[in-house]
Amino acid sequence: MQFSDRLQEKNSHCATVTDIQTVSILGATGSIGTNTLDLIARSADRFQIESLTAYKNVSQLAKLAKVHNAKFAVIGDETKYKELKSYLAGTSIEIGSGETGLIEAGARQADCTIASIIGSAGLRPSIEAVRQGHRVALANKECLVAAGDVFMSEVSLANAELLPLDSEHAAIHQVLCRGMLDEVKQIIITASGGPFRNWTAKQITAATPEQALRHPNWSMGAKISIDSSTLMNKGLELIEAHHLFAIEPERLKVIIHPQSVVHCLISYYDGSVIAQMANPDMRTPIAYCLAWPGRMASPTEPLDLIKLQSLTFEAPDTERFPALDLAISALIKGGSAPNIMNAANECAVAAFLAHEISFTDITRIVEKCLEKADQQNLLQPVGTIDEVLALDHEARQLVGRLIDQN
Amino acid sequence: MQFSDRLQEKNSHCATVTDIQTVSILGATGSIGTNTLDLIARSADRFQIESLTAYKNVSQLAKLAKVHNAKFAVIGDETKYKELKSYLAGTSIEIGSGETGLIEAGARQADCTIASIIGSAGLRPSIEAVRQGHRVALANKECLVAAGDVFMSEVSLANAELLPLDSEHAAIHQVLCRGMLDEVKQIIITASGGPFRNWTAKQITAATPEQALRHPNWSMGAKISIDSSTLMNKGLELIEAHHLFAIEPERLKVIIHPQSVVHCLISYYDGSVIAQMANPDMRTPIAYCLAWPGRMASPTEPLDLIKLQSLTFEAPDTERFPALDLAISALIKGGSAPNIMNAANECAVAAFLAHEISFTDITRIVEKCLEKADQQNLLQPVGTIDEVLALDHEARQLVGRLIDQN
């Protein structure tokens, strides 16, 4: 049998790419949502939109629902329900609002649900999507960082196909999905190093929000840009990788790679390392999730290594960027520790952006919050989403007091 | 279903790694052979040696056969048969010699045959191994370069599992074996660029064999070191990749990567590029072939990108290194063109090593030989190994005359 025949045979069980897929997008007006719709518009004959949701941007939601012929449009902010209704008057598009509406959008049957609502608001709708037992492309970090154990047992129960929708984890999935985990020596996630990679410890102390927001390679929201500059983002990604790929913390590693072209490296016991690379463009991981287990074209600029000339790598400096080690210790601690760390970090980042605390205060306050939580016996295993949300609330109050005392 | 369960299920059909495999090594005293035996000695409970062969090195062959408890030892040089017999007196190891012996070694049933006899002498024994219908790890270039069509139809007929045993093609196999070829945009093979990468055209004209033999990263035989310095080696590898992976020349590309750490890059239509990396150590691709479809440990030094710091890439300069384009045009021409080119190159390299021609003469004479062969209507499709060997012979006579006239 020739190699090409063998490939053909191996893949004969895969869904034909000509089947029309129904897709729901929870968080349609954000960066992931609009990039997904951009891709879908380029292959409109392959996809049909079931639900689209947004939190506040009602005019944009209405426009997208009409252009993409969605069946169901949901606005998270209840006060905008009437506005959405008037925008969509005369169409056959069903309308929903509030958390009930978002949950219904997640629960409505779709071959693939893009779960890209930001923050803890994304927890329940994402879990509803998982419960369908179909494919869920997950961009919401809280499902894994704050509620990893709860969320993954829902995935198991529903026998859902969970695909990660960010560049690093989609990269790992591309390499790992067809190998055996016990042959893997290490999973390495790359980090750009952020805008302060070459700053001295003293310079970093005086870093302003404006400076921290200048991410070298990706254009992202404010929260994630700050997380990239502290390296907390990579810490959160290690926690996600742990849950997504059922891999212990000891086999996870971060490496600084300023060009953000290599997204992951998986090393095997025979000395082989398989890496995934791509220009930084979210449409590549989105296309991967939409077309899985096949592939589809994306307008991402093709990688040109000759033009790039050089890919560089260095060790992360955990002295100047202590957030990474903090996240790793929360991951090892397990239970509610990552949940509390995540809530504390969100508040601390908001306080930094509001010029209430300094850049180095962010990680210091998160660390203090975890210590306090430990003293108050809050670092416990969690079994339900209600517990996750209650602890999230408590952590935010705790960190609020710490910020006030700062 | 969690990712780890899914992996488990996907791989449940794979052979258990605890089964004992029988292995034959055609070319046991060369670099591939000794590296294979090094790996096997480290996992002696998993492997049993069926046949070992060598061409001239009878004492080493006898020693290896005894140490590894081989069932059958073959010396290619008939005149050394008696010597082998006396070395192995008192053991139960069967003995063979000459081409008949080598062919028998290939034909004897083994779960995996390492086909690493150098040159056209490897053709018939490798084909015998393929005809078993089991796994063949191929290191002999002639099977694909000189006899690609004939050899691959034998692979098809026997339904054999052909694995490539060199770093670039094993790298491609690792990435491709679990994807679909029609999603692949390009297969990129890396080249170190050889010792003359930064030399001017004028300097290259005066290059001596001693200078050409200094390969920057791999320690290899003289012939392949010269081929690396002319870039003909990458041309031959493109021809091999074409046959191994049934991929057209237009989707094959070479890129210069002086560190020899990235061995291949496969780019997909969604913007993803999957690359295989490893420190330059033949034991990694050998371990890949021995353990396929699993993986086994290899003592290859683990890749340390932080220590390496930088991976660089540049375009090959086809002005200073015209052999690459010459090989591509032979690949596109097809039929006997790669066969004749390969024979001509072997003779020209030998003449260069003997100080009979200059470095730049090598490619010039190979090109002239192809022109002459075309004029004499020798560039024809070939259907049998006899035809391949007859054309090889004719090309060598042709190039001999060209060298004399030089």
Side-chain angles (χ1 to χ4, degrees), chain A residues 238-250:
Chain A
L238 290 184
I239 297 171
E240 292 179 89
H242 161 73
H243 289 294
L244 281 168
F245 305 111
I247 192 157
E248 55 276 35
E250 298 71 33

Side-chain angles (χ1 to χ4, degrees), chain A residues 329-364:
Chain A
S329 65
L331 165 60
I332 291 167
K333 194 137 212 158
S336 62
N339 181 12
I340 286 168
M341 181 190 72
N342 181 61
N345 180 58
E346 213 174 298
C347 296
V349 167
F352 170 67
L353 285 171
H355 295 86
E356 292 167 20
I357 62 172
S358 76
F359 183 79
T360 43
D361 281 341
I362 302 173
T363 308
R364 218 173 35 77

Side-chain angles (χ1 to χ4, degrees), chain B residues 59 120 282 288 336 370 386:
Chain B
S59 62
S120 50
M282 281 312 295
Y288 178 73
S336 62
L370 277 165
D386 287 338

Side-chain angles (χ1 to χ4, degrees), chain A residues 24-262:
Chain A
S24 286
I25 306 177
L26 312 178
T29 55
S31 150
I32 297 284
T34 49
N35 274 310
T36 305
L37 288 168
D38 171 84
L39 279 172
I40 285 178
R42 292 165 195 266
S43 303
D45 52 328
R46 286 181 55 184
F47 300 101
Q48 199 171 340
I49 299 294
E50 180 63 33
S51 311
L52 293 182
T53 83
Y55 184 62
K56 268 189 179 305
N57 196 340
V58 66
S59 62
Q60 177 71 357
L61 173 66
K63 193 183 143 199
L64 292 174
K66 280 199 259 187
V67 167
H68 293 279
N69 204 16
K71 296 220 173 112
F72 187 42
V74 176
I75 188 78
D77 182 348
E78 304 248 19
T79 65
K80 310 227 174 212
Y81 175 69
K82 279 197 177 157
E83 207 178 327
L84 182 62
K85 212 168 170 178
S86 79
Y87 273 122
L88 296 179
T91 73
S92 61
I93 302 168
E94 294 172 66
I95 296 168
S97 73
E99 196 181 20
T100 327
L102 295 175
I103 287 174
E104 191 189 334
R108 282 172 79 126
Q109 296 290 305
D111 295 321
C112 177
T113 302
I114 309 290
S116 56
I117 295 176
I118 290 173
S120 50
L123 279 174
R124 291 194 205 276
S126 304
I127 284 183
E128 282 309 317
V130 160
R131 285 178 179 161
Q132 290 182 37
H134 300 146
R135 193 189 331 150
V136 174
L138 185 70
N140 172 283
K141 279 184 189 275
E142 281 66 19
C143 288
L144 295 172
V145 173
D149 297 327
V150 178
F151 187 80
M152 290 309 291
S153 63
E154 292 278 357
V155 171
S156 249
L157 261 171
N159 199 14
E161 180 92 70
L162 184 67
L163 295 181
L165 221 180
D166 55 40
S167 53
E168 292 81 1
H169 301 94
I172 296 171
H173 195 278
Q174 286 182 46
V175 176
L176 269 194
C177 64
R178 285 130 175 178
M180 283 182 89
L181 209 55
D182 59 9
E183 296 161 355
V184 170
K185 199 172 158 191
Q186 207 161 43
I187 294 182
I188 303 168
I189 294 178
T190 59
S192 71
F196 306 142
R197 184 171 62 93
N198 292 321
W199 286 34
T200 64
K202 205 182 156 195
Q203 286 174 309
I204 289 173
T205 318
T208 67
E210 294 66 36
Q211 291 166 328
L213 287 170
R214 282 188 215 121
H215 192 278
N217 305 316
W218 293 92
S219 130
M220 305 182 295
K223 159 69 167 55
I224 189 169
S225 292
I226 304 300
D227 284 348
S228 290
S229 68
T230 60
L231 288 196
M232 176 56 91
N233 188 43
K234 288 301 138 180
L236 300 178
E237 286 178 4
L238 290 184
I239 297 171
E240 292 179 89
H242 161 73
H243 289 294
L244 281 168
F245 305 111
I247 192 157
E248 55 276 35
E250 298 71 33
R251 283 197 281 169
L252 290 167
K253 199 182 153 184
V254 168
I255 189 171
I256 305 291
H257 165 53
Q259 297 81 27
S260 295
V261 157
V262 179

Side-chain angles (χ1 to χ4, degrees), chain B residues 203-218:
Chain B
Q203 286 175 311
I204 289 172
T205 318
T208 66
E210 294 65 36
Q211 291 165 327
L213 286 171
R214 282 186 215 123
H215 191 276
N217 306 315
W218 293 93

Side-chain angles (χ1 to χ4, degrees), chain B residues 28-174:
Chain B
T29 55
S31 151
I32 297 284
T34 48
N35 274 309
T36 304
L37 288 167
D38 171 84
L39 280 172
I40 285 178
R42 292 164 195 264
S43 302
D45 51 330
R46 286 182 56 186
F47 300 100
Q48 200 171 340
I49 299 292
E50 180 63 33
S51 310
L52 293 181
T53 83
Y55 184 63
K56 268 191 178 303
N57 196 338
V58 65
S59 62
Q60 177 71 357
L61 173 67
K63 193 182 144 200
L64 292 173
K66 279 198 257 188
V67 167
H68 294 279
N69 204 16
K71 297 219 175 112
F72 186 42
V74 177
I75 189 79
D77 182 349
E78 305 248 20
T79 65
K80 310 224 173 213
Y81 174 71
K82 278 195 177 159
E83 206 178 329
L84 181 62
K85 210 167 170 178
S86 81
Y87 273 121
L88 296 179
T91 73
S92 61
I93 302 168
E94 294 170 68
I95 297 168
S97 72
E99 195 179 20
T100 326
L102 295 175
I103 287 175
E104 190 188 335
R108 282 172 80 126
Q109 296 290 307
D111 296 320
C112 177
T113 302
I114 309 289
S116 56
I117 295 176
I118 290 174
S120 50
L123 278 173
R124 291 192 203 276
S126 304
I127 284 182
E128 283 309 316
V130 160
R131 286 179 178 160
Q132 290 182 37
H134 300 146
R135 192 186 332 149
V136 173
L138 184 70
N140 172 282
K141 279 185 189 274
E142 281 66 19
C143 288
L144 295 171
V145 173
D149 297 326
V150 178
F151 187 79
M152 290 309 291
S153 63
E154 292 278 356
V155 171
S156 249
L157 260 172
N159 200 15
E161 180 92 71
L162 182 68
L163 295 181
L165 223 181
D166 56 43
S167 53
E168 292 82 1
H169 300 94
I172 297 171
H173 195 278
Q174 286 182 46

